[in-house]
Amino acid sequence: MTKVITYGTFDLFHQGHLNLLKRAKKLGDYLIVGVTTEHFDEARGKVNVIDSTLERVENVRKTGLADEIIIEDHEGQKMEDIQKYGVDIFTVGSDWVGTFDYLKAFCKVIYLERTPDVSSTMLREGRFQIVQIGIVGTGRIAPRFVAEEKYVSGINIIAAYNPEVESGNEFQKKYEIDTYFEDYDAFLEKVDAVYIASPNETHYDYARRALLAGKHVLSENPVALSKEKTIELYQIAREKDIILLEGIKTAYCPGFQQLINTARSGQIGEIRDVEACYSRLADPMSRERTDARFGGAFLEFAAYTLLPIFKLFGTHYESVQIESILDDNGLDLYTKIMLRYPQGMATAKCGVGVKSEGQLVIAGTKGYILAESPWWLTRKYQVRYENPNQIDNYEPRFQGDGLRYEMSEFVSKINHVEKSDYKLTEEEIVAISELTELFMEKRATRQL
Ligand code: CTP
């Protein structure tokens, strides 16, 4: 009996997939089809797969061509499967010619002719609006957005806006952006959506004008500096039926979601304490260190450190205490936010002029989770127990610098693929803005 194996995502099952499976089946007597999981696809940079793993498996099953269907979830699995199932022929479409030649050490490798003019990518794009996005602000974060854009299908950067002509022009040239505007209204007319990466104090105004013009908004944190303004922006978005997404990138990282789920699963018992720290020594001449009104450690990092706390304990804390170490100019070099909940307590620490261990520790009644720096781009974490020799290691997949996950979420939301807000809820954002407002009041009056 000749055993044949093939792999694919099989998203939005199409004629090309069917033809490929028919041809693969003809190569032997027994066909095994490997269908990739969402996480594996994400890890390979395919972040916009629409059908769930179960739907994709079901679509392959319905063809009646597969004698066996398996799930592919990790790098290197093909080699394992070929040996495990005693496979004689490995086959995929001709778009992969050469890629899998290394499998020739284990079996025959055949690249089958690919069906022209159809692909899941084309179907996804045809089905969905390609989001034509413009970047507001061309400073330090914007280039990272440009670099990650190519990993997310369905989004095109077409314009940049910066009232400072020189910086804008330079950016446009360097990153080959189609158009550059110094007039915000003209810029808004050109785009479907905006990514706001301008200085903190300008986010609200840019976001509000974009939303009122009916444009989707992805804004760097904080989108507004008060609770009232944050609520107002969400209300406009709801009324206009458009998307407002706050760019706290940790929230969209698959590894962070996994970590939160581990904590919620009961593995460490009841959660009693959460301690999150994020510090980066900023250049003394930078905006973070010189802008006493809109710079400083809290505004830079508090959203990240508050995120795991709100995820695990909710937003209804009993009391809050904020303390800072201030620079001569009144800016917070280091800030500690202490929250008390009925079931436990939490601390969020942020630094731009004091360096500490950037870790996340979630303490429970049976053990604790330790995620080392940079836990905010969750690549690994451990569950530890009383017995120091017992350690469970987790290494979730993580690609790029984290932005692609929030971009992908934004595109999915615009296209109504992703409907739920569980990754970052309006309630969480509003709670963060409430603390931001409280902090800014205290800082302005030096009550920290
Ligand atoms: N395939 C094919 N002809 C097509 C499209 C896909 O023969 N027109 C083959 C691929 O070469 C692969 C299998 O079908 O062996 C599964 O491919 P998959 O990557 O799931 O489909 P694509 O349509 O290529 O998906 P995407 O656009 O996301 O890359």
Side-chain angles (χ1 to χ4, degrees):
M1 180 167 81
T2 306
K3 275 193 177 179
V4 181
I5 198 162
T6 189
Y7 295 86
T9 306
F10 302 105
D11 190 28
L12 302 174
F13 199 87
H14 56 67
Q15 191 62 40
H17 294 144
L18 185 64
N19 294 347
L20 188 282
L21 292 180
K22 280 184 185 160
R23 288 172 193 152
K25 177 85 178 179
K26 275 197 199 139
L27 293 174
D29 313 300
Y30 190 85
L31 177 63
I32 304 173
V33 181
V35 178
T36 52
T37 64
E38 277 127 35
H39 286 306
F40 187 50
D41 276 320
E42 259 177 13
R44 299 186 307 156
K46 265 195 182 186
V47 282
N48 274 358
V49 172
I50 291 168
D51 292 339
S52 69
T53 310
L54 280 180
E55 283 168 311
R56 292 180 286 114
V57 166
E58 182 55 18
N59 287 335
V60 170
R61 194 194 60 75
K62 279 197 294 208
T63 64
L65 292 162
D67 296 286
E68 192 168 344
I69 300 176
I70 59 171
I71 297 292
E72 183 186 24
D73 68 359
H74 61 272
E75 207 66 57
Q77 186 182 327
K78 292 187 179 73
M79 263 181 287
E80 294 163 20
D81 290 341
I82 289 168
Q83 296 173 83
K84 178 169 154 191
Y85 296 100
V87 167
D88 303 289
I89 300 172
F90 167 90
T91 186
V92 279
S94 51
D95 43 328
W96 295 102
V97 169
T99 312
F100 296 108
D101 286 357
Y102 68 93
L103 295 173
K104 284 180 182 165
F106 303 95
C107 65
K108 216 166 153 183
V109 173
I110 299 177
Y111 299 103
L112 288 168
E113 191 196 334
R114 190 178 156 91
T115 309
D117 302 326
V118 59
S119 76
S120 305
T121 306
M122 276 167 59
L123 292 175
R124 281 195 288 266
E125 289 180 353
R127 193 160 144 167
F128 293 139
Q129 177 192 351
I130 303 286
V131 180
Q132 309 289 8
I133 196 165
I135 300 184
V136 179
T138 51
R140 271 175 301 164
I141 316 170
R144 287 174 32 211
F145 192 80
V146 180
E148 287 275 290
E149 176 227 29
K150 57 178 171 292
Y151 298 100
V152 181
S153 52
I155 189 162
N156 267 342
I157 301 174
I158 57 159
Y161 162 80
N162 192 332
E164 286 163 32
V165 183
E166 215 164 280
S167 154
N169 271 331
E170 207 177 290
F171 182 84
Q172 186 206 0
K173 262 194 225 112
K174 189 159 173 201
Y175 298 103
E176 297 174 358
I177 310 287
D178 291 354
T179 342
Y180 158 71
F181 292 90
E182 38 179 311
D183 178 284
Y184 195 57
D185 292 318
F187 163 81
L188 284 180
E189 263 175 44
K190 179 91 182 161
V191 301
D192 308 321
V194 296
Y195 168 61
I196 302 178
S198 53
N200 285 339
E201 66 277 19
T202 63
H203 294 173
Y204 165 77
D205 190 48
Y206 287 138
R208 187 168 180 277
R209 285 166 69 188
L211 291 170
L212 287 172
K215 312 295 175 177
H216 305 285
V217 171
L218 170 59
S219 172
E220 274 301 315
N221 170 265
V223 69
L225 296 168
S226 76
K227 181 181 178 182
E228 194 190 337
K229 285 182 172 167
T230 306
I231 291 173
E232 180 203 351
L233 293 179
Y234 276 97
Q235 250 160 12
I236 302 174
R238 238 189 318 277
E239 277 159 23
K240 298 242 170 208
D241 197 21
I242 47 182
I243 302 300
L244 167 62
L245 199 75
E246 183 138 1
I248 304 178
K249 58 183 177 306
T250 309
Y252 308 103
C253 288
F256 181 72
Q257 290 151 37
Q258 192 183 334
L259 180 153
I260 293 295
N261 288 336
T262 304
R264 284 173 178 157
S265 72
Q267 203 171 330
I268 57 166
E270 306 281 337
I271 300 166
R272 293 288 182 247
D273 186 31
V274 181
E275 251 189 60
C277 176
Y278 191 158
S279 71
R280 186 177 57 226
L281 289 181
D283 179 343
M285 299 315 289
S286 65
R287 200 154 28 78
E288 292 96 309
R289 288 284 303 270
T290 53
D291 184 346
R293 279 191 72 202
F294 303 110
F298 187 106
L299 284 176
E300 215 38 45
F301 300 125
Y304 294 94
T305 51
L306 288 170
L307 183 69
I309 298 172
F310 288 162
K311 286 265 167 239
L312 295 170
F313 283 150
T315 58
H316 301 292
Y317 45 86
E318 288 176 334
S319 64
V320 57
Q321 206 185 323
I322 308 180
E323 299 203 7
S324 295
I325 293 168
L326 300 180
D327 207 351
D328 295 340
N329 58 7
L331 175 146
D332 60 315
L333 294 171
Y334 189 65
T335 291
K336 230 180 211 184
I337 309 151
M338 287 154 283
L339 297 159
R340 183 77 222 190
Y341 286 86
Q343 70 273 45
M345 55 194 179
T347 315
K349 297 190 285 187
C350 325
V352 290
V354 173
K355 186 70 190 164
S356 184
E357 183 64 45
Q359 61 183 13
L360 169 63
V361 183
I362 302 168
T365 51
K366 292 186 184 155
Y368 66 98
I369 293 176
L370 169 65
E372 290 177 340
S373 157
W375 61 265
W376 48 91
L377 306 173
T378 326
R379 290 185 176 87
K380 57 177 189 203
Y381 62 92
Q382 295 184 328
V383 180
R384 297 183 175 201
Y385 306 89
E386 182 60 33
N387 173 358
N389 298 320
Q390 189 190 348
I391 296 177
D392 300 329
N393 285 296
Y394 293 83
E395 293 199 15
R397 290 177 188 274
F398 179 87
Q399 296 280 303
D401 74 352
L403 271 175
R404 71 184 61 172
Y405 299 113
E406 83 183 30
M407 290 163 94
S408 166
E409 178 85 0
F410 188 52
V411 177
S412 300
K413 279 246 163 74
I414 290 173
N415 283 301
H416 305 292
V417 177
E418 178 66 63
K419 294 186 183 72
S420 154
D421 286 330
Y422 74 97
K423 289 177 191 156
L424 186 59
T425 65
E426 183 177 334
E427 184 184 324
E428 287 157 356
I429 293 287
V430 170
I432 291 171
S433 72
E434 193 173 8
L435 282 181
T436 306
E437 191 175 352
L438 174 71
F439 167 80
M440 289 185 73
E441 268 168 33
K442 279 177 176 283
R443 187 171 66 172
T445 49
R446 301 238 176 178
Q447 289 178 58
L448 293 161

